[in-house]
Amino acid sequence: MIPQIDDLRAEAAELHRLLAGLGDSDWPRATQFKAWTIDDIVRHLHMGDTMALASATDPAAFASLMADIQARRKEASSRVEETRQRLGDLGGKSLLERWSTTLELLCGVLADKPADARLKWSGPDMGVRMFTTARQMEIWSHGQAIYDLLGVERPPPAPRLRNIAEIGVRTFGWAYRNRGLPVPAVVPSVRLETPFGETWEWRQASAGEMVQGDAVAFCQVVTQTRNVADTPLSIEGEQARHWMSIAQCFAGPPETPPAPGVRRSRP
């Protein structure tokens, strides 16, 4: 079994512990992420894992589900509204348990896949390692909006954060292609420091183009939970600065990062 499976389980368990302590009145509260409520965020995670489970077990069922989602989104006012309509009254603790059950089913299926398996997704196909990491990234990034809303300090990062940094680095080209922009020939180097004493590096010589600093901050920028101006990252070079202004490590249409000062933890 690839180690990313355990990382996905651990990421979900950490968010589950936070959500399990919420009262009924917390779930409809709006976060700083597009005014999505906590219910909306967990519905989104649940639907993502439902789609992932279909992709991992029945590609035809996945294609059918994707087509249905796209058709319903044309009738709904937004992506979040389509999910609300699809899941109906499912919310709060019942939603939390449904999501947890679906995620565990997904982890079991992914654990049985060969390490070189490839799976369909709404963006490019992905190998099973990156597919699993993408699910972990979704939990980590959307969970940030909930921590911010509640004013709760996030637990110290664990080594599994490396997976999210990795997908952030690997999607350099995707961030440009997804916007219809030419992929630059020079790819910035990345050097990240962690609070547990590890240093992570990619592409150590990139002609003066570099992103360096806190690993959590880098992950926040590539997942668009913070504007780069609100982080302590050190950026050298025009290309590195441009990348950090459009970085997007998740599938879907191009998204605009939050404006400076918009996404932050509430006291």
Side-chain angles (χ1 to χ4, degrees):
M1 184 179 72
I2 58 174
Q4 286 81 3
I5 303 292
D6 284 339
D7 292 337
L8 173 57
R9 284 189 171 113
E11 202 70 63
E14 185 172 283
L15 182 58
H16 189 286
R17 285 192 290 273
L18 176 69
L19 296 172
L22 298 184
D24 292 343
S25 62
D26 289 317
W27 292 85
R29 294 175 63 188
T31 70
Q32 297 167 356
F33 176 69
K34 301 181 179 182
W36 284 20
T37 67
I38 296 177
D39 266 327
D40 289 329
I41 287 174
V42 181
R43 288 188 190 112
H44 175 73
L45 294 176
H46 171 60
M47 278 307 303
D49 290 335
T50 298
M51 292 162 55
L53 183 60
S55 176
T57 56
D58 187 343
F62 171 73
S64 177
L65 176 59
M66 287 298 301
D68 184 59
I69 289 172
Q70 294 301 324
R72 292 195 187 191
R73 283 181 182 174
K74 292 179 180 179
E75 299 176 359
S77 58
S78 65
R79 177 175 61 176
V80 69
E81 186 59 33
E82 185 277 329
T83 304
R84 289 170 180 167
Q85 294 173 7
R86 181 177 294 274
L87 296 181
D89 295 333
L90 184 62
K93 295 295 177 64
S94 296
L95 170 63
L96 177 59
E97 295 315 308
R98 179 81 66 85
W99 168 53
S100 297
T101 298
T102 301
L103 179 70
E104 187 52 40
L105 288 172
L106 173 63
C107 288
V109 170
L110 293 177
D112 289 336
K113 294 285 183 185
D116 60 351
R118 297 195 65 79
L119 296 97
K120 297 289 185 182
W121 196 238
S122 55
D125 294 358
M126 289 185 282
V128 66
R129 292 178 188 273
M130 199 54 59
F131 189 90
T132 305
T133 293
R135 299 314 308 150
Q136 178 196 350
M137 177 272 297
E138 283 281 310
I139 296 169
W140 186 87
S141 61
H142 283 294
Q144 186 65 59
I146 302 174
Y147 281 101
D148 289 345
L149 171 65
L150 300 175
V152 175
E153 184 175 355
R154 196 161 199 160
R160 66 176 182 271
L161 186 71
R162 170 74 187 240
N163 298 332
I164 299 170
E166 184 75 37
I167 202 172
V169 171
R170 289 194 183 192
T171 50
F172 171 82
W174 158 256
Y176 285 86
R177 288 190 297 271
N178 196 33
R179 286 166 170 75
L181 299 174
V183 179
V186 176
V187 181
S189 60
V190 177
R191 179 185 173 91
L192 304 176
E193 303 294 338
T194 71
F196 40 85
E198 294 181 4
T199 299
W200 302 335
E201 295 187 78
W202 294 264
R203 297 184 292 265
Q204 295 183 27
S206 293
E209 299 284 346
M210 174 176 281
V211 178
Q212 59 183 334
D214 179 61
V216 173
F218 177 80
C219 292
Q220 289 175 331
V221 172
V222 297
T223 58
Q224 297 190 356
T225 66
R226 292 289 189 272
N227 187 287
V228 65
D230 296 326
T231 74
L233 289 175
S234 173
I235 305 173
E236 301 175 15
E238 180 179 351
Q239 188 53 63
R241 283 190 289 272
H242 185 254
W243 174 34
M244 289 289 94
S245 74
I246 66 167
Q248 176 177 330
C249 71
F250 48 89
E255 295 281 356
T256 302
V262 170
R263 295 288 301 273
R264 62 191 186 279
S265 180
R266 294 181 179 177

